[in-house]
Amino acid sequence: MKIKHWGASLFLLLLSQQSMAEGTIEVLHWWTSKGESNAVGVLKKRMETNGHYWKNFAIAGGGGQSAMTVLKMRAISGNPPTAAQLKGQDIQEWGRLGFLTSLDAIAEQEQWDSVLLPEVEAIVNDLQLVKYDGHYVAAPVTLHRVNWLWINPHIFKLAGAKVPTTLAEFFVAADKIKAAGFVPLAHGGEAWQDATLFEAVALSVLGAQGYMKAFVELDLTALSDAKMVEVFRQFKRMKQYVDPDSTGRRWNQATEMLIHDQAAMQIMGDWAKGEFASENKVAGKDYLCVPVPGTQGMFSYNLDTITFFKLKGNEQDKIAQQDLARTLLTPSFQRDFSLYKGSIPVRQDVPLTDYDACSLASMQAFKIAAKNSALVPSFSHNLATSSDVQSAIIDVVSHFFDDPTADPKAAAMRLSRAVKSAM
């Protein structure tokens, strides 16, 4: 009887300790592809190992528009998640509305001010990506290069095509690939993917300084002048190399076309590398990564941040929230997460010994671009402008790409007017 009583007491004690330690963690995100899901699995495992309950809150859609709609509904109803994948000026908007919680204590304990790559520190400070009113409310998680051209070398060899370094060479290679019976450019029929492609063309045509003037400074003349007309003209040429079945295709499905020898190229950020890795493809052998033609030396960046909300729940949930914030910037998590995600770590002390050729090239390009004033924030991924301006740009770009009769000069004028009305 004593043994049974002791066993029951031990069970109740362990159950009590578990309930005291366990808090619920719910992170709203749109990381739902194979590579992204593997990366999220790293975070889930860390949180569960620390004794917390992971409540999955993934909303499919690479651009995040659906996720933001859901987030607004949850926040307005007084039930926000633990944290959410938020970026750019949206963080300031949520801060002004009073929804965000301070991470200052964690940031001080973990020395966030001194562990980030200096170039990342400059970015997050200049664009106010992690602080609101001087207080930490978000943690930077990944650094991505957007202006990558992914190549299937097998198809290039069969077509006798040369890896392009200029837009003119891109179209020559695309013609050869098309003549050989392959899809030259894998692309998905989603507005944000159109914008990503347009952004790459714009960076190639305008250069880093011209891009900044148009899409960061929002100079209305730069948005409608002859150079922008040329951007639209070159962008329109891309359409003839996209297959007619692209409508509704997601970005990772476009990447799979390269993986399965159905398409030769894709212009997409380096989260695409996570898809290659999930299929055990080797960089430099099974696929190639080169800068978008004409953007050598430039780096269009997408910096993912996790933003934290005020919670009304129990203390366990708040403890779990702080634990989540602490974990996101630890060296081991940064390493493991970015290896799956395709990104490069934002900390300066993460060894790059396990990273492949594309990640090493990305880090080198990032540092070189930073020295040469050639780092530019991605407007297509909500880093350069407000959501309203971003939506206005994407709307013009996507409609233009879908209209075979669209005029580049008229589109440039329409872009300038749309941005002016959204400012």
Side-chain angles (χ1 to χ4, degrees), residues 6-22:
W6 177 82
S9 298
L10 178 61
F11 173 76
L12 291 172
L13 176 62
L14 291 174
L15 185 64
S16 174
Q17 289 177 338
Q18 182 182 16
S19 64
M20 289 179 64
E22 184 178 275

Side-chain angles (χ1 to χ4, degrees), residues 64-382:
Q65 289 87 353
S66 298
M68 291 304 96
T69 300
V70 174
L71 178 61
K72 289 173 183 177
M73 293 172 60
R74 284 282 301 269
I76 291 172
S77 67
N79 182 34
T82 308
Q85 183 185 352
L86 279 178
K87 292 186 295 186
Q89 296 182 25
D90 285 351
I91 293 174
Q92 299 302 307
E93 179 103 14
W94 284 98
R96 286 190 288 270
L97 293 172
F99 284 104
L100 305 183
T101 192
S102 173
L103 303 177
D104 286 347
I106 297 297
E108 184 176 357
Q109 291 170 13
E110 301 298 316
Q111 300 179 320
W112 286 4
D113 286 334
S114 61
V115 302
L116 295 178
L117 289 164
E119 300 87 353
V120 172
E121 180 73 23
I123 288 171
V124 298
N125 287 336
D126 289 347
L127 300 184
Q128 296 181 298
L129 299 182
V130 296
K131 290 182 180 180
Y132 173 72
D133 196 25
H135 300 284
Y136 274 100
V137 293
V141 182
T142 65
L143 177 64
H144 287 286
R145 188 183 195 184
V146 181
N147 59 311
W148 276 122
L149 174 67
W150 304 94
I151 287 175
N152 179 313
H154 177 60
I155 293 179
F156 262 67
K157 185 177 181 180
L158 291 174
K162 176 186 173 183
V163 174
T165 59
T166 66
L167 282 179
E169 290 179 359
F170 173 90
F171 294 122
V172 170
D175 283 332
K176 288 186 176 182
I177 292 162
K178 191 172 184 179
F182 297 99
V183 176
L185 184 62
H187 187 67
E190 296 177 307
W192 73 269
Q193 291 189 62
D194 295 340
T196 300
L197 181 59
F198 178 82
E199 174 179 296
V201 174
L203 188 59
S204 180
V205 173
L206 302 176
Q209 301 311 310
Y211 173 96
M212 291 291 287
K213 190 173 183 180
F215 298 107
V216 178
E217 299 172 22
L218 301 179
D219 183 294
L220 297 180
T221 300
L223 286 165
S224 60
D225 65 12
K227 285 188 176 181
M228 190 59 68
V229 174
E230 179 64 11
V231 171
F232 276 100
R233 191 178 74 83
Q234 297 289 350
F235 177 57
K236 188 174 186 177
R237 291 184 68 186
M238 293 281 180
K239 185 71 172 184
Q240 63 186 301
Y241 301 108
V242 176
D243 66 290
D245 297 326
S246 65
T247 304
R249 180 186 294 144
R250 293 190 172 167
W251 71 266
N252 53 303
Q253 293 172 322
T255 306
E256 288 173 4
M257 293 174 68
L258 272 70
I259 293 172
H260 299 299
D261 290 337
Q262 297 169 350
M265 297 180 283
Q266 182 186 18
I267 291 176
M268 186 54 60
D270 52 16
W271 46 91
K273 190 164 71 70
E275 302 309 296
F276 288 109
S278 71
E279 297 289 339
N280 298 313
K281 300 299 181 181
V282 178
K285 177 186 174 183
D286 300 312
Y287 65 96
L288 306 178
C289 55
V290 298
V292 168
T295 71
Q296 295 86 339
M298 292 175 264
F299 193 110
S300 174
Y301 62 84
N302 177 24
L303 188 72
D304 281 316
T305 51
I306 299 295
T307 305
F308 289 71
F309 286 76
K310 290 179 180 178
L311 299 179
K312 296 180 180 179
N314 55 45
E315 287 304 311
Q316 289 94 328
D317 289 349
K318 294 178 181 178
I319 292 171
Q321 184 184 57
Q322 296 289 299
D323 197 20
L324 171 64
R326 185 181 294 107
T327 298
L328 291 173
L329 270 174
T330 57
S332 62
F333 174 77
Q334 280 281 304
R335 173 193 172 276
D336 294 346
F337 189 84
S338 58
L339 282 172
Y340 282 113
K341 187 70 163 54
S343 55
I344 52 179
V346 297
R347 284 185 67 114
Q348 58 182 291
D349 56 354
V350 178
L352 300 179
T353 51
D354 295 327
Y355 288 79
D356 63 25
C358 292
S359 292
L360 296 176
S362 186
M363 181 65 83
Q364 182 182 31
F366 176 66
K367 290 182 174 295
I368 291 174
K371 289 181 181 179
N372 296 327
S373 300
L375 282 179
V376 302
S378 169
F379 79 76
S380 63
H381 295 275
N382 206 25

